[in-house]
Amino acid sequence: MVRDTLSRPLGSLRISVTDRCNLRCRYCMPEQDYVWLPKESILTFEEIARLARVFASLGARKIRLTGGEPLLRHDLPTLVAMLSALDLSDLAMTTNGLLLAKHADALHRAGLRRVTVSLDTLRPERMRERARSDRHADVLAGIAAARAAGFARVKLNTVVIRGVNDDELGDLIECARGQGAEVRFIEYMDVGGATGWTTEQVVSQREMLERLAERYGPILTVAGDDPSAPAERFRLPDGTTFGIIASTTAPFCRSCDRSRLTADGTWFLCLYAERGVDLREPLRSGASDEELRHVITQAWTARTDRGAEERLSVAQRGALYKIDALRADPRREMHTRGG
Ligand code: SAM
């Protein structure tokens, strides 16, 4: 297993299959238009699968498909089938759910085993206002279709923002329970497209737990989960579980085994990294698997990144990037490097 300078293994890879999205969430992709990755630079399914195989051979056997919106990539089940033939320990996808009802069956049949759906609110009017979409019902239908297709452990991702949806924590837990799903509350992060980010809008893990304890009573930590998983899990008195990803107030860089591959084959070793490693160039200029393994191993063994922890020490913290900086290098966007 390949380890970095802090002894963190190369354990999981998030693959962004497209930088396009059909939502315009204010905390991620607030602009109408973007500088998109050139079409010819987008990796083919064969190229993605080859890189995934090379990564898996170095220990990255947990793969998550993301984007942008991964279901906008035409014929995604074909890529899923190619990836599920590899020696992986986990193959998952994060989606906004708009197109999930249509594709859930085919994805499950192709070998996808876990799906996470982003659901920030139970109120359609809030989704209309915050993500510029009238398709709230499609997201709920997507969650139900995933369960019906056989996805056993559907997760819901909710980015919690003060004054926006922080009054819905309990209701989202109830909704998830009703759907046989589990919700993960994500602290609002200052990454990529979050150009309007302020500390005041962040609802910390501690505050979320205090608020939920007021409604439900004492909350216990769930012990024994994978220590490299981003979410810490909790249990309500009635046994219902949920998770919190405290990446802003209590980052978990020390156990971070995640890296990210953009749709154009740029590999980022940290969500906050300024630059990535170009894997498309060697891939397309005939590098052997052994040569690709060498490039990846060299970069990972030199990895020192602790991006989220370093952000903690920034005085008067604001958004990481302004829109001009994002336009100058679209790979800085969350939707390009993959959330
Ligand atoms: N389109 C898919 C979706 O909506 O799930 C996948 C890509 S999206 C970038 C992946 C995840 O990143 C989503 O759950 C989204 O809510 C989260 N995300 C995006 N911007 C964020 C931010 N500023 N803070 C915290 N989470 C964020």
Side-chain angles (χ1 to χ4, degrees):
M1 189 175 265
V2 185
R3 289 185 179 271
D4 71 5
T5 60
L6 298 173
S7 201
R8 298 169 295 190
L10 174 59
S12 81
L13 181 68
R14 298 195 174 196
I15 302 178
S16 171
V17 293
T18 178
D19 55 341
R20 307 276 171 154
C21 192
N22 43 5
L23 288 183
R24 285 292 177 275
C25 301
R26 289 202 192 184
Y27 57 80
C28 185
M29 254 181 123
E31 310 292 317
Q32 193 56 46
D33 209 16
Y34 282 89
V35 177
W36 306 109
L37 296 174
K39 215 170 169 195
E40 63 281 5
S41 73
I42 305 295
L43 299 186
T44 63
F45 285 171
E46 287 70 23
E47 288 172 328
I48 294 174
R50 179 166 172 222
L51 281 179
R53 181 162 48 80
V54 171
F55 272 100
S57 73
L58 290 169
R61 294 175 60 238
K62 292 181 277 179
I63 288 189
R64 178 174 290 274
L65 299 175
T66 180
E69 171 47 40
L71 291 176
L72 286 180
R73 181 84 187 240
H74 180 64
D75 202 16
L76 195 69
T78 297
L79 175 64
V80 168
M82 291 162 84
L83 296 177
S84 70
L86 304 178
D87 179 25
L88 302 179
S89 59
D90 190 25
L91 180 57
M93 177 183 72
T94 304
T95 171
N96 62 30
L98 292 189
L99 299 168
L100 188 55
K102 191 170 164 201
H103 297 293
D105 263 331
L107 290 164
H108 192 263
R109 273 200 312 275
L112 192 69
R113 284 296 165 259
R114 294 198 306 120
V115 64
T116 301
V117 181
S118 296
L119 179 70
D120 292 327
T121 179
L122 295 173
R123 304 192 193 171
E125 70 278 10
R126 283 191 174 169
M127 181 170 173
R128 193 174 306 124
E129 207 267 315
R130 301 293 304 181
R132 290 195 233 142
S133 172
D134 277 327
R135 298 180 58 189
H136 192 265
D138 290 347
V139 183
L140 298 184
I143 296 166
R147 291 278 294 149
F151 288 98
R153 296 171 54 213
V154 176
K155 289 185 201 160
L156 306 182
N157 268 359
T158 302
V159 180
V160 180
I161 302 182
R162 190 180 307 285
V164 172
N165 61 351
D166 56 330
D167 55 348
E168 292 190 57
L169 301 183
D171 296 345
L172 282 155
I173 287 180
E174 300 298 327
C175 168
R177 180 173 31 206
Q179 297 269 6
E182 186 175 286
V183 67
R184 266 139 177 71
F185 298 117
I186 308 177
E187 289 182 352
Y188 186 19
M189 297 171 71
D190 55 349
V191 284
T195 47
W197 187 94
T198 60
T199 31
E200 293 71 32
Q201 292 170 286
V202 178
V203 181
S204 68
Q205 164 163 307
R206 208 188 57 186
E207 186 178 340
M208 288 187 225
L209 289 174
E210 282 168 3
R211 290 208 206 171
L212 288 167
E214 276 169 27
R215 173 163 172 176
Y216 291 103
I219 295 172
L220 298 174
T221 304
V222 174
D225 279 351
D226 173 3
S228 68
E232 194 174 345
R233 289 176 69 237
F234 301 92
R235 191 184 313 274
L236 299 178
D238 71 357
T240 305
T241 51
F242 65 96
I244 300 183
I245 302 181
S247 22
T248 301
T249 66
F252 31 84
C253 301
R254 309 248 152 203
S255 60
C256 178
D257 66 353
R258 278 172 295 289
S259 62
R260 293 174 158 80
L261 186 68
T262 64
D264 73 344
T266 311
W267 180 44
F268 285 90
L269 281 60
C270 173
L271 186 54
Y272 285 89
E274 181 73 29
R275 256 171 283 284
V277 179
D278 180 4
L279 296 180
R280 185 180 77 251
E281 197 280 322
L283 190 66
R284 290 191 176 169
S285 58
S288 65
D289 284 3
E290 205 39 55
E291 284 162 340
L292 289 169
R293 258 192 286 278
H294 180 71
V295 174
I296 294 166
T297 304
Q298 291 271 89
W300 192 263
T301 50
R303 179 185 189 239
T304 56
D305 301 71
R306 293 168 40 251
E309 285 178 359
E310 281 164 6
R311 291 292 294 162
L312 264 186
S313 55
V314 172
Q316 293 180 344
R317 187 170 170 184
L320 181 62
Y321 294 118
K322 299 257 187 309
I323 186 65
D324 291 349
L326 295 173
R327 291 218 165 96
D329 183 356
R331 293 189 196 86
R332 290 174 174 150
E333 293 279 7
M334 180 78 148
H335 65 263
T336 307
R337 60 181 59 179

